[in-house]
Amino acid sequence: MGNLIKAEFRKTLTLKAWWALMIPAVVFAFAFALFWGMVTNDFSDFLGRSDTRELTEALGISTGELPVGLLALGHGINIGTMIPIIFGVFALAGEYTKKTITTTFLTAPNRVSALSAKMITYVAWGAIYGVIIVAAASLGTVITVDSERLPTAGQWLGVLGAGVLATILATLFGIGVGAVWRSVIGSIITLTIWMLVVENVLVFVSFGAWDITWLGGVLPNGTVNGIVGAIGAEAFGAAGVKVPGLQDETAWALQYAAGAPGAFSWWASALIFFGWTMIFFLAGWAVNQKKDIT
């Protein structure tokens, strides 16, 4: 197994995809954190002065102490997490596209070993992406958010851990989708349209038309975003244990500001997205156990 893992790392490092995708991951994470930091730094204007006053009174803090930096971090990390998903697609679908999958399977003792080595390798890559994306989003947040509104050291460490967990699961999710689809272009186009367009439209329409606040908390994009975003929502009393008397509309707006509309809590989001990841990963595993590679 050790030799297979080394081979997977060498295979990945000889290609341009890992660093070519790292560039947009850093740019998007930084830019979105920068933008949302500017938007939410003046939180009263963003949410409304009456809602802000009600929220700060419930939390027992002043407006200037609200940790709006968590909101900027959530958006920056969440958009950056799309890139590890795409990177994961290349792991197996890319080998089918380039016709190297035959060599991969024939040089391993069996397909289980080959796929296990690939999974372990991309867990490590997902963690690397996570650390870099969190760093980029943190930089964008520090530049735009007032110092007294930045996360505490404990909150930042929580975001780092959640961000790494999110990117690891996102990478495995991408591997699963790519393994089922076996097409890089098809997988990327479908995932991008679903996660960035279709799902967001469904969440907004369901909330606006039918007052369904939880839909984003169960769909793939909403749950991977909720792993980090819900930390910010929980800091504002809008997820997990909610502030008593907080209206559903205000709670949803706070969740949206944190990048996780509909999230129940960060750990619930992690569990639900882990379920989505396993559905696609195990389906891809099963497909590739029987797939003719000649």
Side-chain angles (χ1 to χ4, degrees):
M1 180 63 72
N3 289 332
L4 290 176
I5 295 173
K6 289 180 182 177
E8 285 294 331
F9 269 105
R10 288 171 182 163
K11 190 188 305 179
T12 306
L13 289 171
T14 57
L15 301 175
K16 299 178 181 179
W18 72 272
W19 62 262
L21 289 172
M22 190 75 75
I23 295 172
V26 170
V27 171
F28 288 152
F30 174 78
F32 270 69
L34 195 73
F35 171 76
W36 278 94
M38 290 187 290
V39 170
T40 59
N41 194 47
D42 194 348
F43 194 75
S44 294
D45 290 342
F46 174 78
L47 188 61
R49 295 189 183 280
S50 60
D51 287 329
T52 302
R53 184 171 59 254
E54 180 182 342
L55 182 64
T56 53
E57 288 176 355
L59 294 173
I61 58 178
S62 67
T63 302
E65 296 173 341
L66 284 168
V68 298
L70 287 172
L71 309 183
L73 275 173
H75 279 279
I77 294 169
N78 287 348
I79 191 65
T81 300
M82 274 299 300
I83 305 302
I85 293 177
I86 295 173
F87 183 59
V89 167
F90 279 91
L92 208 57
E95 292 220 42
Y96 278 105
T97 300
K98 296 178 180 179
K99 310 298 183 183
T100 60
I101 193 67
T102 302
T103 304
T104 296
F105 283 154
L106 292 180
T107 54
N110 51 63
R111 296 190 184 187
V112 172
S113 298
L115 294 173
S116 297
K118 192 174 290 289
M119 179 187 71
I120 294 170
T121 301
Y122 279 84
V123 163
W125 276 111
I128 293 170
Y129 267 86
V131 172
I132 293 174
I133 288 170
V134 171
S138 297
L139 179 60
T141 301
V142 168
I143 290 173
T144 52
V145 176
D146 294 340
S147 59
E148 64 271 16
R149 297 174 177 176
L150 290 172
T152 64
Q155 288 172 328
W156 188 85
L157 287 174
V159 167
L160 175 61
V164 170
L165 175 61
T167 52
I168 288 174
L169 291 178
T171 306
L172 294 179
F173 179 78
I175 293 176
V177 173
V180 172
W181 200 287
R182 298 192 298 276
S183 166
V184 171
I185 295 176
S187 298
I188 291 175
I189 291 175
T190 302
L191 281 171
T192 302
I193 293 175
W194 172 263
M195 300 190 82
L196 297 184
V197 180
V198 176
E199 189 172 316
N200 283 304
V201 170
L202 287 174
V203 170
F204 272 98
V205 170
S206 64
F207 175 72
W210 304 299
D211 290 327
I212 298 175
T213 61
W214 50 263
L215 188 61
V218 297
L219 296 176
N221 186 58
T223 50
V224 70
N225 287 346
I227 297 173
V228 174
I231 294 177
E234 288 176 15
F236 285 84
V241 180
K242 294 185 179 180
V243 169
L246 190 66
Q247 296 181 354
D248 288 342
E249 292 79 7
T250 304
W252 195 89
L254 286 165
Q255 291 171 1
Y256 174 77
F264 305 108
S265 64
W266 75 267
W267 58 266
S269 295
L271 287 176
I272 296 171
F273 187 67
F274 176 77
W276 283 111
T277 299
M278 287 299 98
I279 288 172
F280 282 97
F281 195 84
L282 293 176
W285 191 294
V287 168
N288 281 274
Q289 291 303 307
K290 299 179 180 180
K291 175 67 178 176
D292 184 4
I293 57 172
T294 58

